[in-house]
């Protein structure tokens, strides 16, 4: 990649979200399914013993989330392209723009030369969550740690495709209304879902690293994580809160091991991050990945890898 005298400026999560808030998504809203449709005894049991319903004033925000999850990548939209460029730059640690298509996308964990092909299961929301992860100064160090693990010679996995799976799990938990209580308490949906996505990724990271997981274990890991996330959303969010506080205090958070070579947090969002390795090891030579986009619609709630 050659030096670009006018590189695309980084985009914040809030700026990208504002774009969707001010864009007509009427056609996409027609196709969303924000809650699980229950009938008969299941509907009665959910009404009597299930989680509380989302407050009426939050329904529009919830529907926006599911509309974004229906939105494909549009090469004409400047915001879409800036989101892609920002994710690449923050993970790789460069200020240079990269081509829209090419094998360089595999370096950050997409399955091929076009990131859009991995997003059919979560739409643009899959990119929005990754953007949040790499642009929030509190979560950026964790994102780089996970990206570093994804490059491991034996424990490697495709970072961005795994991230999309975290978005899929978070969406399913929201759809099953397991996050409604926390959303009602904080009077927001997007912020809660963002944190739950990060909490889910943290859970996978700690399990993957400490238990020496590999791609061969990926299906079991995702199934276990999805079941745990649905049953323990409050605990997941609390674990993330404790992890970030301990890390900010300068200690080694529980569930991780010290790594003197781990990338350090960036002082500001505009500064160049620590360069992450781009070597792919033996990834992809023996395992064939199936993206969440390739799952049949009726399997959406099940845990599958990649």
């Amino acid at each position: 990649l050659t030096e670009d005298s006018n590189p695309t400026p980084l985009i914040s999560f809030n700026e990208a979200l504002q774009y969707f808030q001010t864009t007509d998504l009427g056609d996409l809203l027609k196709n969303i399914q924000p809650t699980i449709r229950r009938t008969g005894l299941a509907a009665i049991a959910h009404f009597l013993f299930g989680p509380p319903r989302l407050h009426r004033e939050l329904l529009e925000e919830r529907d926006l989330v599911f509309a974004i999850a229906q939105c494909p990548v549009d090469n004409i939209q400047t915001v879409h392209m800036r989101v892609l460029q920002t994710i690449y730059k923050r993970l790789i640690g460069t200020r240079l723009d990269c081509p829209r298509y090419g094998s360089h996308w595999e370096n950050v964990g997409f399955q091929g030369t076009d990131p859009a092909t991995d997003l059919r299961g979560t739409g643009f929301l899959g990119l929005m969550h990754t953007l949040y992860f790499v642009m929030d100064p509190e979560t950026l160090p964790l994102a780089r740690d996970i990206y570093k693990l994804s490059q491991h010679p034996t424990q490697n996995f495709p970072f961005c495709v795994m991230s999309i799976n975290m978005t899929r799990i978070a969406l399913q938990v929201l759809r099953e209304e397991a996050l409604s209580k926390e959303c009602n308490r904080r009077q927001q949906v997007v912020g809660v879902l963002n944190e739950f996505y990060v909490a889910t990724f943290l859970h996978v990271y700690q399990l993957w690293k400490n238990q020496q997981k590999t791609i061969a274990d990926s299906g079991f890991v995702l199934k276990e994580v999805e079941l745990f996330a649905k049953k323990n959303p409050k605990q997941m969010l609390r674990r993330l809160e404790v992890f970030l506080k301990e890390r900010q205090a300068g200690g080694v958070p529980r569930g991780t091991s010290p790594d003197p070579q781990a990338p350090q947090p960036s002082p500001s969002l505009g500064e160049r991050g620590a360069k992450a390795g781009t070597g792919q090891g033996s990834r992809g030579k023996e395992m064939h990945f199936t993206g969440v986009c390739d799952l049949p619609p009726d399997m959406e709630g099940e845990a599958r890898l990649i």
Side-chain angles (χ1 to χ4, degrees), residues 12-301:
S12 68
F13 177 85
N14 286 338
E15 185 180 351
L17 179 64
Q18 187 177 30
Y19 160 80
F20 284 104
Q21 289 173 327
T22 56
T23 299
D24 182 8
L25 302 177
D27 291 340
L28 298 175
L29 287 167
K30 296 175 184 177
N31 300 319
I32 67 173
Q33 185 185 338
T35 57
I36 296 294
R37 294 171 184 170
R38 298 177 174 86
T39 58
L41 291 176
I44 295 173
H46 182 74
F47 177 78
L48 294 175
F49 308 110
R53 291 187 175 184
L54 194 68
H55 290 169
R56 185 179 298 274
E57 61 268 23
L58 297 176
L59 296 181
E60 184 177 348
E61 186 179 351
R62 178 204 63 187
D63 291 351
L64 173 65
V65 166
F66 284 98
I68 297 173
Q70 295 281 334
C71 183
V73 174
D74 186 347
N75 291 342
I76 300 176
Q77 291 294 340
T78 303
V79 168
H80 287 210
M81 296 301 100
R82 286 178 64 196
V83 169
L84 274 174
Q85 292 287 345
T86 299
I87 290 170
Y88 181 83
K89 292 175 182 180
R90 296 292 273 182
L91 288 174
I92 295 296
T94 180
R95 291 190 177 93
L96 305 181
D97 283 356
C98 66
R100 171 65 180 84
Y101 304 99
S103 59
H104 52 277
W105 291 113
E106 296 175 15
N107 293 340
V108 293
F110 288 104
Q111 294 180 104
T113 59
D114 180 8
T117 60
D118 291 330
L119 295 169
R120 290 192 294 269
T122 61
F124 207 86
L125 188 66
L127 292 180
M128 289 290 286
H129 276 163
T130 311
L131 177 69
Y132 172 81
F133 203 13
V134 300
M135 287 301 286
D136 188 296
E138 273 197 309
T139 61
L140 175 62
L142 174 61
R144 287 183 173 150
D145 283 351
I146 298 176
Y147 177 69
K148 181 179 180 181
L149 180 63
S150 78
Q151 306 291 307
H152 192 276
T154 58
Q155 290 188 268
N156 59 71
F157 56 87
F159 177 89
C160 283
V161 176
M162 185 67 85
S163 175
I164 292 167
N165 275 273
M166 300 304 99
T167 296
R168 178 187 60 78
I169 292 173
L171 268 178
Q172 190 62 20
V173 175
L174 179 65
R175 180 178 280 121
E176 294 188 12
E177 301 175 88
L179 290 177
S180 295
K181 184 175 182 179
E182 184 65 16
C183 290
N184 290 342
R185 186 182 73 83
R186 292 170 50 176
Q187 284 298 292
Q188 58 174 302
V189 175
V190 172
V192 171
L193 191 66
N194 285 347
E195 289 185 20
F196 190 76
Y197 152 84
V198 176
T200 306
F201 219 157
L202 172 64
H203 189 77
V204 168
Y205 168 64
Q206 292 177 331
L207 192 156
W208 196 279
K209 184 174 183 179
N210 296 335
Q211 297 185 18
Q212 302 289 305
K213 298 298 184 182
T214 68
I215 284 301
D217 306 305
S218 57
F220 300 102
V221 170
L222 284 184
K223 184 175 182 179
E224 177 183 333
V225 169
E226 181 165 353
L227 290 173
F228 185 86
K230 289 178 179 179
K231 292 179 180 179
N232 306 281
K234 185 176 181 179
Q235 184 179 345
M236 295 274 286
L237 290 168
R238 176 59 182 164
R239 282 182 178 180
L240 174 65
E241 181 184 0
V242 171
F243 177 91
L244 294 177
K245 282 183 178 179
E246 289 180 349
R247 185 157 198 165
Q248 192 173 24
V252 177
R254 283 170 288 181
T256 60
S257 56
D259 185 352
Q261 296 182 346
Q264 297 302 308
S266 176
S268 67
L269 294 181
E271 291 192 17
R272 179 177 179 174
K275 288 190 176 182
T278 58
Q280 295 303 296
S282 59
R283 179 194 308 163
K285 293 183 179 180
E286 298 180 1
M287 299 297 297
H288 173 72
F289 292 100
T290 301
V292 290
C293 53
D294 298 320
L295 297 179
D298 59 335
M299 303 295 284
E300 181 181 330

